[in-house]
Amino acid sequence: MPVLTARALLLDMDGTLVNSDAVVERIWRRWADAHGLDGDEVMKVVHGRQGYASMAVLLPSRPMHLNMADNARMLAEETADLEGVVPVPGAPEFLASLRGVPHALVTSADVPLSTARMAAAGLELPDVRVTAESVGASKPDPEGFLKGAAELGVAPADCVVFEDSGAGIAAGRSAGMRVVGVGPRAAAHGPDVVVRDLRQVRVEVVADGVRLSFGS
């Protein structure tokens, strides 16, 4: 695997730092059943996007105000349902290794959901956070990653994104950033590097940023 150097890291949450798949499956399969959709097909779409954006893909003729209403309700349900939310293997050590390294959380979750899930997984929130409230467009739009880079004062080309989903990897690519894909969903979407989980990532702080290496 290649070695990547960067001045800043931009980190997705769900599937990258936090394994929330159990909750996501429960919430979205209920929604799929209510709308007569195949749950397996729905699950192929929803990872990485804000809820309303997933609904727009799945039900393209549905009025957006209905998507937004469902999105708000489902965010509240997800925030209250933390059963099965755990850290991705290696996430605590990975975040600890970033002390002194410019980094930001860039998530499609809102503030209550991201706060609840990171706490449930026992993970410390980065000081810089770009959440659903911070952007006008969901991943795969690059807005969130570009905003994260701007808040850190780092050029997009000097950032490395950590992502698990197709939508998130596409967003990082569109932002002009290199992407490390984390977990089983990532490999199909063409990230620069794929790791099984964060135990395969080694972080070395260097004079002008960070050096990332990847192992077994």
Side-chain angles (χ1 to χ4, degrees):
M1 293 185 184
V3 171
L4 301 180
T5 58
R7 291 186 55 222
L9 305 183
L10 302 176
L11 315 174
D12 174 53
M13 182 181 73
D14 292 302
T16 301
L17 298 174
V18 173
N19 182 345
S20 56
D21 282 1
V23 181
V24 174
E25 289 267 348
R26 285 195 291 272
I27 299 291
W28 277 100
R29 286 187 182 276
R30 282 203 299 266
W31 184 88
D33 288 345
H35 292 86
L37 299 175
D38 182 270
D40 291 341
E41 294 303 313
V42 167
M43 295 313 302
K44 293 176 184 178
V45 172
V46 301
H47 292 290
R49 292 179 170 87
Q50 292 190 45
Y52 74 85
S54 295
M55 295 170 200
V57 172
L58 293 161
L59 296 173
S61 61
R62 190 181 195 226
M64 185 55 73
H65 75 275
L66 297 179
N67 295 342
M68 297 301 289
D70 271 4
N71 185 64
R73 175 181 56 78
M74 291 167 73
L75 279 171
E77 290 179 5
E78 289 184 90
T79 303
D81 183 356
L82 299 173
E83 184 178 351
V85 174
V86 296
V88 166
E93 296 82 3
F94 174 70
L95 287 174
S97 74
L98 299 185
R99 294 194 179 102
V101 176
H103 65 285
L105 188 72
V106 181
T107 176
S108 294
D110 62 5
V111 168
L113 181 56
S114 58
T115 302
R117 281 191 177 159
M118 290 288 280
L123 300 176
E124 187 174 345
L125 280 163
D127 291 336
V128 178
R129 302 183 285 275
V130 179
T131 60
E133 299 94 336
S134 309
V135 298
S138 170
K139 299 171 185 176
D141 191 282
E143 181 186 357
F145 287 125
L146 292 172
K147 184 162 283 190
E151 291 198 21
L152 294 171
V154 177
D158 292 326
C159 296
V160 168
V161 166
F162 282 73
E163 264 286 1
D164 72 299
S165 70
I169 290 167
R173 288 281 200 199
S174 295
M177 300 172 183
R178 293 154 294 158
V179 181
V180 175
V182 180
R185 283 188 288 268
H189 303 287
D192 296 273
V193 177
V194 180
V195 294
R196 180 181 62 253
D197 56 48
L198 294 171
R199 291 175 296 185
Q200 290 188 290
V201 182
R202 301 289 179 269
V203 177
E204 179 186 357
V205 179
V206 294
D208 56 350
V210 64
R211 181 178 184 269
L212 303 171
S213 56
F214 309 92
S216 58

